[in-house]
Amino acid sequence: MPPPVARISQISKYEGQEVELRGWLYGKRSSGKLHFLQVRDGSGVIQAVVFKNEVPTEMFARADHILQESSIVVRGTVRADKRSPLGFELGVNHVEVVHEAKDYPITPKEHGVAYLMEKRHLWLRSARQNVILRVRHTVEKAIRDFFDEDGFTLVDAPIFTPAACEGTSTLFEVPYFDLGKAYLTQSGQLYMEAAAMALGKVYCFGPTFRAEKSKTRRHLTEFWMVEPEVAFMDLEEDMTLAERFICSIVQRVLDKHEREIREVLERDTSKLQTVKPPFPRMTYGEAIERLNKAGHPSKWGDDFGGDEETVLASQFDRPVIVHRYPADLKAFYFKRDPADPRVALGMDVLAPEGFGEIIGGGQREDDFDALLGRIEEHKLPVEAFEWYLDLRKYGSVPHAGFGLGVERTVSWLCGLHHVRETIPFARMMERITP
Amino acid sequence: MPPPVARISQISKYEGQEVELRGWLYGKRSSGKLHFLQVRDGSGVIQAVVFKNEVPTEMFARADHILQESSIVVRGTVRADKRSPLGFELGVNHVEVVHEAKDYPITPKEHGVAYLMEKRHLWLRSARQNVILRVRHTVEKAIRDFFDEDGFTLVDAPIFTPAACEGTSTLFEVPYFDLGKAYLTQSGQLYMEAAAMALGKVYCFGPTFRAEKSKTRRHLTEFWMVEPEVAFMDLEEDMTLAERFICSIVQRVLDKHEREIREVLERDTSKLQTVKPPFPRMTYGEAIERLNKAGHPSKWGDDFGGDEETVLASQFDRPVIVHRYPADLKAFYFKRDPADPRVALGMDVLAPEGFGEIIGGGQREDDFDALLGRIEEHKLPVEAFEWYLDLRKYGSVPHAGFGLGVERTVSWLCGLHHVRETIPFARMMERITP
């Protein structure tokens, strides 16, 4: 009877037993009577030790010539091994090649990023990319678990939308049968507002699109965003929700991946350990003062870019929340502060270490006349927003929410300079392949 | 001090206590000294009883004139009540209107579906739609939990794709900067195959698009699909995975929503109780025989449509798996059966009661030369598939997977004739609003 097939991530359950592993050869070194095969199966990497005296002569000779990334089946006994990061190694009694990988195009030598992006379908196999992808999975799961456990209902927002939230210049257009054009969504927020009136607490989580002609390290044309929206919630509660939410994601990622992030990605994880509530909160006005004091001349009415965000965030050991921006800088749907109508009841959460804005949100305008006036001021087509105005016509309530971008969050947690590595197949202005 | 704010779904925790509820007026009846207000907060509906002697005179009079869907705040004591489906009612001592809903456009009278779809942003508030949306949430959560607990990694597939899986006639095209056109994905499968070689067991779950000029009850232009893919998995294991997967979804939905589905949606849930492994499995050849025996003349080589699916599925009390279809009916990437090269190692899972195919999948061609030949036979542009061919060049392994459509699954579980109610904001050939 063949031994049970095990996954490397579960290997501790098989200590002392014989197992079969199915995977690929990640690396190899030999020393006369021993071959050390690094075997990966997607769930982890294990060292498989082939001892000359324990396998047939031909098999031992063959094992010395298996090429990188060949698919292999290995059988042997699971042994505790304190020196390995995994804690176990495999004492091999059988190794066979399923399919030989000749001239695998990604070698241990350094490759340029353009080359690696072109080979993204293979680059995913590297240890570094593997960790990033699994952190992304954990972030996405932490996001869903947070909202699911807090009584939210997942409501998928549509991707095809008839009208623009904030102008059409950064929208992707799609010819749509006899209806003219549809636009790819930039945010599900408006739909979540309708859903919050139906279900109380809702969130959407899906891809969003931005046709920006920018080639910066923070731009993707296609990225994933989660957007909670809650009826009867105000700005203060919104900030507290965002704070709890971010802390739960960071904690989950540390619990599952702290060692990998530190050792494989070489990111200083002590900078993540300090991410605990409460986050510092400041008004936009206070932020302007801070910028000036920090030698970064700014005046009321200036919008914040990456530089301002970095100066502000670098003053703290955890994310900082800036709220009550000038209304003119914000979208039409923000509620104005009754205490100061110049400002909008919006807030941004800025990640530390220069990773910039990861959350934007706030309280929505819930008064019909005020919202209608805002739509007209912004010269938006009122008829396209009639359904949205309906929410202020029939049982309007205070409500708020926010959006968090997955790629920027993963980029911050993994300490990555460019967001292109945080998504399996990045789409940018100059790239839609592979 | 004001009483704690409670959600109706959590009301049992507050028995005997005073709480505040924030929601909307769903319905109302009065009998002299008593008003019975049906209050919904998105998590449930509770009967709030306003007794003339327990509130100020003016408040009592006002409560009689609150209009449907007005937003309200109600305070009172939670009392056990065996007659209500919830098990509790509220003895009101305070009621106030937040915002009056004048002339709410959806009244208890019957409306046509076209009208309701036009008012979808409000229709979501109705009890029936509320149940369907929450079932959808449960289905989506059951899907993720199944794969997450089974060691799969979530890998988001790209939405913008450069080339077509199966012809371009049903693809949405998007003008894409200087790169010409991008196409909206119809399936993440090819990308999942690459990811399975990196992570072993993966799945994607996101929106997919089909520009079909069809106005049937099963067609949406935008729908959600989950696609697992597993390295070293063959067709038999793929069918077993699909079976376990479907059973776990059905069980979860019954655990959480059996009563609502039966009472609110009026669907016979005994038809779901029988969905247990093993599912009947038959080859395409056996299916053809069965069709003929059932008086539905069919011959080898015929493709199955809704009629054939219904005839086959109606013979069983649970989903049925049909495998090994003629290769000519299937996409280029299916592996041929070594025992009979006329057939592809593919399988479909057909839901009972005429709900049709909910899963399609199979084992992929893992041989470089065979796959290249297939791409050429199908007259597909080889250069667009070079990255996909790479997976057969570098450590190829047997692998399989499948896709499950969320909307068809929800439609089956909820017993809905048309898929348009299974997604929050349906997109069809003739509709991209609201």
Side-chain angles (χ1 to χ4, degrees):
Chain A
M1 214 176 76
V5 177
R7 289 197 94 203
I8 295 170
S9 60
Q10 303 291 309
I11 207 72
S12 66
K13 294 181 182 168
Y14 297 90
E15 189 180 345
Q17 293 176 45
E18 204 188 334
V19 297
E20 176 172 309
L21 299 178
R22 300 170 175 179
W24 294 264
L25 186 73
Y26 194 60
K28 180 171 59 70
R29 62 189 173 84
S30 293
S31 67
K33 289 185 180 172
L34 289 168
H35 303 316
F36 299 96
L37 311 181
Q38 303 296 323
V39 179
R40 67 167 192 86
D41 71 352
S43 79
V45 178
I46 195 169
Q47 176 161 276
V49 184
V50 192
F51 183 43
K52 193 171 183 171
N53 295 352
E54 286 171 0
V55 293
T57 313
E58 225 170 79
M59 195 179 274
F60 184 78
R62 176 78 183 86
D64 198 24
H65 295 93
I66 305 174
L67 295 168
Q68 186 201 351
E69 281 305 321
S70 293
S71 43
I72 53 178
V73 169
V74 183
R75 292 185 198 137
T77 306
V78 178
R79 300 190 293 233
D81 175 55
K82 285 188 181 154
R83 292 157 303 177
S84 90
L86 189 70
F88 297 90
E89 64 172 24
L90 194 77
V92 175
N93 60 40
H94 178 90
V95 52
E96 67 185 73
V97 173
V98 177
H99 180 254
E100 189 78 49
K102 290 203 185 87
D103 306 318
Y104 187 68
I106 302 177
T107 54
K109 71 159 192 175
E110 286 278 316
H111 295 280
V113 171
Y115 179 81
L116 291 169
M117 288 301 288
E118 197 58 46
K119 303 285 179 202
R120 184 64 175 168
H121 54 293
L122 302 174
W123 190 24
L124 297 177
R125 303 182 184 189
S126 79
R128 203 179 144 78
Q129 299 306 313
N130 191 287
V131 169
I132 297 168
L133 287 180
R134 284 186 296 106
V135 169
R136 180 183 171 98
H137 175 189
T138 297
V139 166
E140 297 197 317
K141 185 162 168 53
I143 286 171
R144 291 180 189 278
D145 286 350
F146 178 87
F147 291 118
D148 292 346
E149 286 161 18
D150 207 30
F152 283 72
T153 302
L154 172 66
V155 177
D156 296 311
I159 306 296
F160 288 133
T161 58
C165 243
E166 301 163 59
T168 57
S169 65
T170 60
L171 286 171
F172 284 106
E173 292 179 0
V174 187
Y176 197 94
F177 303 107
D178 299 336
L179 300 181
K181 283 171 189 166
Y183 300 94
L184 298 183
T185 184
Q186 290 195 335
S187 160
Q189 179 201 316
L190 273 49
Y191 293 95
M192 289 309 101
E193 291 184 53
M197 305 302 138
L199 292 148
K201 299 166 79 169
V202 299
Y203 72 102
C204 62
F205 190 5
T208 51
F209 304 86
R210 203 166 279 258
E212 235 169 315
K213 290 201 172 177
S214 296
K215 295 189 188 182
T216 82
R217 65 190 182 89
R218 286 189 193 172
H219 280 91
L220 295 169
T221 55
E222 174 186 322
F223 54 99
W224 284 65
M225 188 150 69
V226 58
E227 294 173 274
E229 190 77 24
V230 180
F232 292 99
M233 186 166 81
D234 66 16
L235 177 64
E236 300 306 308
E237 293 164 315
D238 197 31
M239 292 194 276
T240 303
L241 182 69
E243 182 180 274
R244 276 203 299 129
F245 175 56
I246 289 175
C247 291
S248 84
I249 295 172
V250 173
Q251 197 51 55
R252 180 82 70 94
V253 167
L254 286 174
D255 288 348
K256 292 202 72 155
H257 304 287
E258 199 272 336
R259 192 185 58 77
E260 295 175 309
I261 292 175
R262 191 162 33 78
E263 293 181 2
V264 181
L265 305 183
E266 297 173 311
R267 192 234 196 283
D268 179 359
T269 51
S270 70
K271 300 251 162 104
L272 300 175
Q273 305 283 4
T274 52
V275 178
K276 307 269 183 197
F279 294 171
R281 296 180 187 187
M282 65 181 77
T283 63
Y284 168 88
E286 289 161 353
I288 292 286
E289 275 178 45
R290 272 188 183 266
L291 286 170
N292 282 311
K293 273 190 200 153
H296 190 96
S298 309
K299 60 177 197 305
W300 209 93
D302 289 353
D303 205 353
F304 292 169
D307 288 351
E308 288 76 17
E309 289 174 358
T310 301
V311 172
L312 289 169
S314 67
Q315 304 185 354
F316 304 94
D317 66 348
R318 62 197 72 194
V320 52
I321 307 182
V322 181
H323 56 90
R324 292 180 167 78
Y325 284 78
D328 293 345
L329 297 178
K330 291 289 176 181
F332 73 95
Y333 49 71
F334 280 92
K335 191 173 178 67
R336 302 288 171 99
D337 189 351
D340 178 1
R342 290 181 313 156
V343 304
L345 292 175
M347 59 99 180
D348 289 344
V349 182
L350 313 178
E353 303 170 74
F355 286 96
E357 181 199 320
I358 44 172
I359 273 184
Q363 194 172 335
R364 324 304 184 184
E365 184 53 74
D366 52 16
D367 180 77
F368 182 92
D369 294 328
L371 183 62
L372 179 60
R374 219 62 52 68
I375 288 171
E376 286 166 348
E377 266 170 41
H378 281 75
K379 302 199 191 330
L380 293 166
V382 175
E383 64 283 5
F385 291 94
E386 253 161 31
W387 70 270
Y388 185 64
L389 282 160
D390 271 0
L391 308 176
R392 283 72 181 169
K393 216 167 177 173
Y394 306 113
S396 187
V397 301
H399 61 289
F402 59 77
L404 170 129
V406 168
E407 288 73 19
R408 286 192 183 182
T409 304
V410 174
S411 164
W412 165 44
L413 298 177
C414 290
L416 302 174
H417 180 71
H418 199 298
V419 291
R420 69 189 153 210
E421 286 179 54
T422 65
I423 187 165
F425 296 91
R427 296 301 184 238
M428 294 169 289
M429 198 182 148
E430 72 283 12
R431 170 167 301 284
I432 47 169
T433 54
Chain B
M1 213 175 76
V5 177
R7 291 197 93 201
I8 295 170
S9 59
Q10 304 291 308
I11 207 72
S12 65
K13 294 182 183 168
Y14 298 90
E15 188 180 346
Q17 292 177 46
E18 204 188 334
V19 297
E20 176 172 310
L21 299 179
R22 299 170 175 180
W24 294 265
L25 186 73
Y26 194 61
K28 179 171 59 72
R29 62 192 173 83
S30 293
S31 68
K33 289 185 180 173
L34 288 168
H35 303 315
F36 299 95
L37 311 181
Q38 303 296 323
V39 180
R40 65 165 193 88
D41 70 352
S43 79
V45 179
I46 194 168
Q47 176 159 276
V49 184
V50 192
F51 183 45
K52 193 171 182 170
N53 294 353
E54 286 171 0
V55 294
T57 314
E58 226 171 79
M59 195 179 275
F60 184 79
R62 176 76 183 87
D64 198 23
H65 295 93
I66 305 174
L67 296 168
Q68 185 200 352
E69 281 304 322
S70 294
S71 44
I72 54 178
V73 170
V74 184
R75 291 187 198 134
T77 305
V78 179
R79 300 190 292 233
D81 176 55
K82 286 188 182 157
R83 292 157 305 178
S84 90
L86 189 70
F88 298 91
E89 64 171 25
L90 194 77
V92 174
N93 61 39
H94 178 89
V95 53
E96 68 185 72
V97 173
V98 177
H99 179 255
E100 189 78 51
K102 289 201 186 88
D103 305 318
Y104 186 69
I106 302 176
T107 54
K109 72 161 190 173
E110 286 279 315
H111 295 282
V113 170
Y115 179 81
L116 291 169
M117 287 301 288
E118 198 58 45
K119 303 284 180 205
R120 184 65 174 168
H121 54 294
L122 303 174
W123 190 23
L124 297 177
R125 303 182 184 189
S126 78
R128 203 180 143 77
Q129 299 306 313
N130 192 288
V131 170
I132 297 169
L133 287 180
R134 285 186 296 106
V135 169
R136 180 184 171 97
H137 176 188
T138 297
V139 167
E140 298 198 316
K141 186 163 167 50
I143 287 171
R144 289 178 190 280
D145 286 350
F146 178 86
F147 291 118
D148 292 347
E149 286 162 17
D150 207 30
F152 283 71
T153 302
L154 172 66
V155 176
D156 295 312
I159 307 296
F160 288 134
T161 58
C165 244
E166 301 164 59
T168 58
S169 65
T170 60
L171 286 171
F172 283 107
E173 291 179 359
V174 187
Y176 197 94
F177 303 107
D178 299 336
L179 300 181
K181 284 172 190 164
Y183 299 95
L184 299 184
T185 184
Q186 290 195 336
S187 160
Q189 179 201 316
L190 273 48
Y191 293 96
M192 289 309 102
E193 292 185 52
M197 305 303 137
L199 292 148
K201 299 166 79 169
V202 299
Y203 71 103
C204 63
F205 191 5
T208 50
F209 304 86
R210 203 166 280 257
E212 236 169 315
K213 288 202 171 176
S214 296
K215 294 188 187 182
T216 83
R217 65 191 182 87
R218 286 189 192 171
H219 280 92
L220 295 168
T221 54
E222 175 187 320
F223 54 99
W224 284 65
M225 188 150 69
V226 59
E227 295 174 272
E229 190 77 25
V230 180
F232 292 99
M233 185 165 81
D234 65 17
L235 177 65
E236 300 306 308
E237 293 164 316
D238 197 32
M239 291 194 277
T240 303
L241 182 71
E243 182 181 273
R244 276 204 298 129
F245 175 56
I246 288 174
C247 291
S248 84
I249 296 172
V250 173
Q251 197 51 55
R252 181 82 72 93
V253 167
L254 286 173
D255 288 348
K256 294 203 72 155
H257 304 287
E258 198 273 335
R259 192 186 57 77
E260 295 175 309
I261 292 175
R262 192 162 30 80
E263 292 179 3
V264 181
L265 305 183
E266 297 171 312
R267 193 236 196 280
D268 179 358
T269 51
S270 70
K271 300 253 163 102
L272 299 175
Q273 305 283 5
T274 52
V275 179
K276 307 271 183 197
F279 293 171
R281 296 180 187 186
M282 65 183 78
T283 63
Y284 168 87
E286 289 161 353
I288 292 288
E289 275 178 44
R290 272 187 184 267
L291 286 170
N292 282 311
K293 273 189 200 154
H296 190 96
S298 308
K299 58 176 198 307
W300 210 92
D302 289 352
D303 205 355
F304 292 169
D307 289 351
E308 288 77 17
E309 289 173 0
T310 302
V311 172
L312 288 171
S314 68
Q315 304 186 354
F316 304 95
D317 66 348
R318 61 198 71 193
V320 52
I321 307 181
V322 181
H323 56 90
R324 292 181 166 77
Y325 284 79
D328 293 345
L329 298 178
K330 290 290 176 180
F332 73 95
Y333 48 71
F334 280 93
K335 191 174 178 66
R336 302 288 170 98
D337 189 351
D340 178 2
R342 291 180 313 158
V343 303
L345 292 176
M347 60 99 181
D348 288 345
V349 182
L350 313 178
E353 302 170 75
F355 285 97
E357 181 198 321
I358 45 171
I359 275 186
Q363 194 172 333
R364 323 305 184 185
E365 183 52 74
D366 51 16
D367 179 77
F368 183 91
D369 293 329
L371 183 62
L372 179 60
R374 220 62 53 67
I375 290 172
E376 287 166 347
E377 265 170 42
H378 281 74
K379 302 201 191 331
L380 294 165
V382 176
E383 63 284 6
F385 291 95
E386 254 162 30
W387 69 270
Y388 185 62
L389 282 161
D390 271 359
L391 308 176
R392 280 74 180 168
K393 216 167 174 173
Y394 306 114
S396 187
V397 302
H399 60 289
F402 59 77
L404 171 130
V406 167
E407 288 73 19
R408 287 193 182 181
T409 304
V410 174
S411 165
W412 164 43
L413 298 177
C414 290
L416 302 173
H417 179 71
H418 199 297
V419 292
R420 70 191 152 210
E421 286 180 53
T422 65
I423 187 165
F425 296 91
R427 297 301 185 238
M428 293 167 290
M429 197 182 150
E430 71 283 12
R431 171 165 300 283
I432 47 169
T433 54

